Amino acid sequence: MAASTMTGFTAFVMGSKPNSFLLARRSGGPVGFRFIKTQQRGQRGSATRRCGTRCEAATDVAVKDASASRASSLTALEQFKAAGSDRYMKERSSIAVIGLSVHTAPVEMREKLAIPEAQWSRAVGELCNLNHIEEAAVLSTCNRMEIYVVALSWHRGIREVMEWMSKTSGIPVSELRDHLFMLRDSDATRHLFEVAAGLDSLVLGEGQILAQVKQVVKIGQASGGLGKNIDRLFKDAISTGKKVRTETSISSGAVSVSSAAVELALMKLPESHALSARMLLIGAGKMGKLVIKHLAAKGCKRVVVVNRSSENVDAIREELKDIEIIYRPLTEILSSAAEADVVFTSTASETPLFLKEQVESLPPASQSAGGLRLFIDISVPRNVGSCVSDVESARLYNVDDLKEVVEANKEDRLRKAMEAQAIIIQELRSFDAWRDSLETVPTIKKLRSYAERIKSAELEKCIQKIDENALTKKSRRAIEDLASGVVNKLLHGPLQHLRCDGSDSRTLDETLANMYALNRMFGLDTVKAILEQKIKAKVEKSQN
């Protein structure tokens, strides 16, 4: 790259001009831009002076601001054109995932980063307002907190997301780095497909994660927060998850986190009295319902459920007839725990429901349960304070302790995972081909529009040369069909070479080379026009 060009573009990117919209090169495909408006009072005055005498005469502050913004818009466009920007267009934005899971971080870390479902839309909005993030989605469960983004710049985008995570959780970035994983493009896509298929779960093939992935799409559609790439990514992940479960036996014998919690409780209780132990469940949501279902499947006959209201408990009671379900209000949580040998907690509470002092005040568990009260906490954030583990008469287990249960039948699970991987690879190719095909769509549209304009102009000339009385409707239609046929046949070859949908052996690089060649030959300027449109859109958004 010529030194002069690099210097000009670098100066522009680094924001040597105050109050300019900084352009950041994105990695992985055709370039795109995000904009950072650095507001300095002195610059507003200079922008106003550039607007001319009429602006100087205006006294309305809003008029001055609007004029300054228009000047900034023009300045950004002119600088963009002069900065050798075409050198940076042969890249595209990256799909990335950054997050942590039960495989990379302890529950203490995951609970600080957990985002309640009700706040997903807000989080997505904040992420999309970051300077180098186009689209975003949040997947936060008891076992993972993952952020999926379309980043205009891989390095800048990841840095901004990490800083956002640090700000949200209060954990320094330096500490976060030890637990985060970051994946890009095909690796990020594959990861989400594996998550939806249950391959990345603590319990292989668990079904609840697929429902949680579906919820991301549902919430995103309701809030309008999902962009084109993320929307397609999650929908294809859902389709892959369903296909894996339909075409393999990965779900047979697989257990959910809730059933693993039940298994763990029964393992820790004396075998002869496990089913007669007094069971208490705090929370009657989806996870809680599964706990009751698995208790019933193991032969447990009675469970007490503490919940804010009786509505969910009544619904569960109607569905599960093989187990006695007793409802208690939240105000009776301590008295109910005093009568229980095993306490399962599964609520969305962001503060602990049980602390050391409260558990110490409870009477001992029954001797049939070994005299120890078990707390099985499958909530994130945790519902039982870690200090409870210091109580001699109690034993505390959280979601990380479920690994003990799921280690069984490891070889069989690995075999099922291999079967699922073959399906995932096929679906990954399909998604990559779809995303690659997006690169050439603007050029295809503009080339067709260019050809149609020529056809229409030449048809008009031809029609004018023919005597109107001699030109019947049939003749006119025949001439128009002839013109359309010629245009279509001439376009067929170029458009074929703009395809990159996996239907032939052409690579994305070859297709992009064809696209740039056609842009030069026909003067379409497609990529630059799209980028200028993005700049204008960002300027307008900043004004609002």
Side-chain angles (χ1 to χ4, degrees):
M1 178 177 293
S4 59
T5 303
M6 174 62 85
T7 302
F9 187 79
T10 303
F12 185 35
V13 170
M14 295 306 293
S16 59
K17 294 183 180 294
N19 199 35
S20 64
F21 284 83
L22 311 186
L23 305 188
R25 181 163 64 98
R26 64 176 166 182
S27 58
V31 76
F33 300 90
R34 297 286 294 191
F35 314 92
I36 312 170
K37 190 173 183 182
T38 56
Q39 297 185 358
Q40 297 185 10
R41 294 180 180 178
Q43 184 62 23
R44 176 174 293 177
S46 61
T48 303
R49 288 192 293 274
R50 289 197 298 269
C51 290
T53 306
R54 185 175 58 178
C55 289
E56 292 175 357
T59 56
D60 190 336
V61 175
V63 173
K64 291 182 180 180
D65 289 347
S67 300
S69 297
R70 286 195 296 272
S72 297
S73 173
L74 293 172
T75 301
L77 287 173
E78 291 305 318
Q79 289 182 351
F80 165 70
K81 292 176 181 177
S85 55
D86 57 322
R87 296 172 180 267
Y88 305 92
M89 290 179 182
K90 295 183 181 180
E91 298 181 6
R92 69 170 174 184
S93 53
S94 297
I95 289 179
V97 56
I98 177 171
L100 39 73
S101 72
V102 66
H103 307 298
T104 68
V107 66
E108 292 85 358
M109 178 72 68
R110 299 199 308 277
E111 68 183 0
K112 291 179 182 178
L113 284 153
I115 302 175
E117 190 176 292
Q119 297 180 24
W120 286 3
S121 294
R122 175 194 57 78
V124 167
E126 292 179 0
L127 288 163
C128 288
N129 282 332
L130 297 176
N131 294 318
H132 297 87
I133 301 301
E134 277 187 299
E135 306 174 24
V138 172
L139 176 61
S140 183
T141 73
C142 61
N143 283 333
R144 67 186 69 252
M145 204 293 279
E146 299 174 352
I147 296 174
Y148 293 82
V149 297
V150 174
L152 292 167
S153 166
W154 163 255
H155 297 291
R156 293 181 180 92
I158 290 299
R159 183 174 67 244
E160 288 173 354
V161 173
M162 288 177 63
E163 290 170 352
W164 179 88
M165 294 172 77
S166 175
K167 180 180 178 182
T168 301
S169 64
I171 303 172
V173 171
S174 57
E175 187 177 344
L176 277 177
R177 285 196 186 101
D178 295 335
H179 301 282
L180 292 175
F181 66 87
M182 290 167 274
L183 299 171
R184 181 180 184 180
D185 292 326
S186 289
D187 290 333
T189 304
R190 177 192 287 270
H191 174 74
L192 180 58
F193 286 8
E194 290 176 347
V195 167
L199 300 188
D200 194 64
S201 298
L202 182 62
V203 184
L204 187 75
E206 64 130 332
Q208 190 174 6
I209 185 61
L210 183 58
Q212 291 161 334
V213 173
K214 290 179 181 178
Q215 194 66 9
V216 173
V217 175
K218 182 178 179 181
I219 291 175
Q221 288 176 336
S223 64
L226 292 187
K228 175 171 58 179
N229 290 276
I230 295 292
D231 181 70
R232 177 64 180 257
L233 172 66
F234 271 78
K235 286 179 178 176
D236 280 11
I238 292 168
S239 175
T240 301
K242 290 179 180 177
K243 196 169 185 180
V244 165
R245 287 171 172 80
T246 301
E247 298 184 12
T248 73
S249 58
I250 195 169
S251 295
S252 61
V255 289
S256 65
V257 170
S258 298
S259 64
V262 172
E263 291 279 357
L264 179 64
L266 297 180
M267 285 171 55
K268 299 301 180 181
L269 288 168
E271 186 176 352
S272 58
H273 299 285
L275 294 179
S276 61
R278 299 172 297 175
M279 303 290 183
L280 171 65
L281 169 66
I282 314 294
K286 295 176 183 177
M287 297 276 279
K289 177 182 176 180
L290 288 173
V291 167
I292 299 174
K293 185 175 181 179
H294 290 294
L295 283 172
K298 290 296 182 179
C300 180
K301 298 300 182 183
R302 182 178 183 272
V303 61
V304 175
V305 181
V306 171
N307 199 50
R308 291 185 182 278
S309 66
S310 62
E311 185 177 352
N312 282 2
V313 180
D314 292 338
I316 296 172
R317 189 186 291 118
E318 284 296 316
E319 183 178 341
L320 305 177
K321 303 290 187 180
D322 297 332
I323 185 170
E324 182 185 2
I325 302 174
I326 300 171
Y327 166 73
R328 300 271 178 84
L330 199 58
T331 53
E332 298 182 22
I333 186 171
L334 287 178
S335 60
S336 298
E339 300 171 0
D341 299 318
V342 181
V343 180
F344 296 94
T345 60
S346 177
T347 79
S349 174
E350 297 185 14
T351 56
L353 302 177
F354 293 98
L355 295 173
K356 180 179 179 181
E357 298 77 16
Q358 296 166 317
V359 175
E360 282 180 329
S361 67
L362 298 177
S366 63
Q367 288 304 312
S368 61
L372 296 175
R373 180 172 286 104
L374 306 183
F375 287 86
I376 314 292
D377 186 4
I378 56 175
S379 302
V380 177
R382 289 171 294 177
N383 289 166
V384 184
S386 57
C387 53
V388 170
S389 59
D390 296 332
V391 179
E392 291 186 6
S393 60
R395 294 292 181 270
L396 172 61
Y397 303 94
N398 57 48
V399 288
D400 287 358
D401 298 307
L402 301 182
K403 295 176 183 177
E404 181 180 347
V405 176
V406 300
E407 277 300 310
N409 303 319
K410 191 171 184 178
E411 290 185 8
D412 183 52
R413 295 202 312 276
L414 290 175
R415 180 183 58 79
K416 293 175 181 177
M418 291 297 291
E419 295 175 4
Q421 283 292 352
I423 296 173
I424 288 174
I425 290 171
Q426 181 182 357
E427 297 300 315
L428 180 61
R429 287 173 181 163
S430 177
F431 177 81
D432 285 344
W434 169 81
R435 192 157 183 258
D436 290 344
S437 70
L438 297 180
E439 297 295 310
T440 58
V441 169
T443 297
I444 290 172
K445 289 181 177 179
K446 204 159 187 179
L447 182 56
R448 281 196 173 278
S449 177
Y450 174 77
E452 285 296 323
R453 288 197 304 272
I454 293 176
K455 183 190 78 172
S456 298
E458 294 304 313
L459 269 175
E460 186 64 28
K461 291 178 184 178
C462 176
I463 299 298
Q464 289 177 358
K465 293 177 181 179
I466 300 175
D467 185 358
E468 291 186 5
N469 296 326
L471 186 63
T472 65
K473 289 183 178 180
K474 184 176 181 181
S475 299
R476 185 185 182 100
R477 187 162 52 250
I479 295 172
E480 291 174 348
D481 289 345
L482 172 64
S484 296
V486 171
V487 168
N488 289 336
K489 287 185 181 297
L490 287 174
L491 288 180
H492 178 73
L495 296 185
Q496 281 291 102
H497 284 79
L498 288 179
R499 286 185 179 176
C500 187
D501 55 8
S503 59
D504 54 35
S505 59
R506 190 180 302 110
T507 65
L508 176 60
D509 288 341
E510 292 171 335
T511 303
L512 292 179
N514 294 334
M515 182 184 78
Y516 292 118
L518 285 169
N519 267 281
R520 290 193 301 272
M521 280 187 271
F522 291 97
L524 301 178
D525 232 6
T526 305
V527 181
K528 188 174 292 187
I530 292 172
L531 292 174
E532 291 181 0
Q533 186 178 6
K534 282 190 175 185
I535 293 175
K536 291 178 181 178
K538 289 297 179 182
V539 171
E540 291 173 0
K541 183 177 180 180
S542 70
Q543 293 173 357
N544 296 331

